Amino acid sequence: MKAVRFHEHGGLEVLRYEDAPEPKIQANEVLVKVRACALNHLDLWLRNGVASWKLPMPHILGSDISGEVVEVGSLVTRVKPGERVLLCPGISCGRCEACFKGLDSACRDYTIFGVMVDGGYAEYVKSPEPNAFPIPGDLSFDEAAAVPLVFITAWHMLMTRAQLKPGEDVLVVGAGSGVGSAAIQVARLMQARVIAVAGTDAKLEKARTLGADFGINHQKQSIFEEVKRITGKRGVDVVVEHVGAAVWEACFDSLATYGRLVTCGTTSGEDVQLNLRLLYGRQRTLLGSFMGGKAELTEALKFIGQRKLNAVIDSTFPLRQAAAAQKKMEDRDFFGKIILHP
């Protein structure tokens, strides 16, 4: 099969469009012909190298995958050849205490497609049977690939970790990202008031079409001052954040008393300062969030199938142009998901 692989860490130049062995499935796995694979910032970090992850080389990236089942293992009973599926990105053992509780991402053996196993930058990918979900409703393959990682992450952040309640005020940082565009929609689904933050007015306009009530252009405006103005100096109940150091102080200061800040990433840096007096004095809560579980994806897919939550697609590229697609993501020249077509 054709795949985009890298044999060593580095810049865009390490990505090679080349022949690779077709995956061989085990008895409990399915083989999927990839129709679409969406990019994530995770792809860039892995290509550059993450110290704590020693990737098998050569390596195939890609965590957000949709396609058609072409082969099933002898123990597979729920999935059949010919079915249109999307793959839940997180792979867990299914046998430990965390998995029994539905806390997939707390499994000690947890990994993600494109991390310690090959992902969707290829014509074929193999998957454990439980990770193959029927594509809901009339979603296209592109829409299905744009759904899993960002909606499972946003759902876990807002619903599971932050325990969002109807009518609360939510600040979504990085509104143009996949997670940001999903978080805006999940918050609106819960009848929250949404304040979106992005770096261009064009991105803010798109955020409003997804349901954001207000927009803050962080290139021109102070996040903290605008939140204070919009909320009448009260602050927001929930901050959804995955940027890290560049916005941390503004996000923390924007919290109301009893506010919750939930973070899932550090694209601008991981070292931040924390004013403990304002943490305990204002009785605020800081929450880490990492991916989510199959049960949460199941909940999100109900609304996605009804198109009450929608995939947001920026652009598509043929697989052989994966480097160009990653360059677009590096340049932050996108809103929503960038899709590869094998």
Side-chain angles (χ1 to χ4, degrees), residues 256-279:
T257 299
Y258 285 102
R260 294 94 72 198
L261 188 157
V262 57
T263 180
C264 73
T266 55
T267 55
S268 70
E270 58 192 33
D271 294 324
V272 300
Q273 291 186 329
L274 177 63
N275 187 321
L276 287 175
R277 180 178 58 80
L278 291 178
L279 179 66

Side-chain angles (χ1 to χ4, degrees), residues 1-19:
M1 67 174 182
K2 289 295 185 181
V4 169
R5 304 192 296 181
F6 58 89
H7 297 248
E8 60 185 0
H9 296 294
L12 295 168
E13 72 281 354
V14 303
L15 296 174
R16 300 184 191 174
Y17 181 71
E18 60 188 10
D19 291 321

Side-chain angles (χ1 to χ4, degrees), residues 175-338:
S177 69
V179 171
S181 62
I184 290 169
Q185 296 183 68
V186 173
R188 286 297 294 171
L189 185 70
M190 286 298 293
Q191 301 177 342
R193 187 169 67 156
V194 181
I195 305 170
V197 178
T200 70
D201 291 337
K203 288 184 178 181
L204 291 176
E205 187 57 38
K206 291 180 179 179
R208 289 187 179 92
T209 67
L210 296 177
D213 298 279
F214 303 93
I216 300 173
N217 185 332
H218 66 77
Q219 298 285 2
K220 303 176 181 178
Q221 299 168 296
S222 161
I223 295 174
F224 170 66
E225 291 296 337
E226 285 300 300
V227 168
K228 188 167 63 171
R229 180 185 65 81
I230 292 166
T231 63
K233 299 183 180 181
R234 176 181 176 273
V236 295
D237 301 287
V238 176
V239 173
V240 173
E241 182 305 288
H242 55 92
V243 175
V247 299
W248 181 264
E249 184 177 354
C251 288
F252 183 75
D253 290 345
S254 296
L255 285 172
T257 299
Y258 285 102
R260 294 94 72 198
L261 188 157
V262 57
T263 180
C264 73
T266 55
T267 55
S268 70
E270 58 192 33
D271 294 324
V272 300
Q273 291 186 329
L274 177 63
N275 187 321
L276 287 175
R277 180 178 58 80
L278 291 178
L279 179 66
Y280 69 75
R282 298 290 295 277
Q283 303 190 69
R284 294 164 170 168
T285 301
L286 301 179
L287 298 161
S289 184
F290 176 61
M291 293 293 291
K294 298 179 186 68
E296 290 161 310
L297 180 57
T298 299
E299 288 298 309
L301 286 177
K302 294 176 184 177
F303 298 101
I304 290 166
Q306 299 167 13
R307 293 195 177 272
K308 293 180 180 178
L309 297 173
N310 294 290
V312 180
I313 297 171
D314 176 90
S315 52
T316 63
F317 289 79
L319 179 60
R320 66 173 63 247
Q321 294 180 15
Q326 287 199 6
K327 178 67 164 54
K328 186 178 182 71
M329 176 164 278
E330 283 185 338
D331 292 342
R332 301 186 183 277
D333 180 27
F334 67 99
F335 188 98
K337 300 294 285 186
I338 301 169

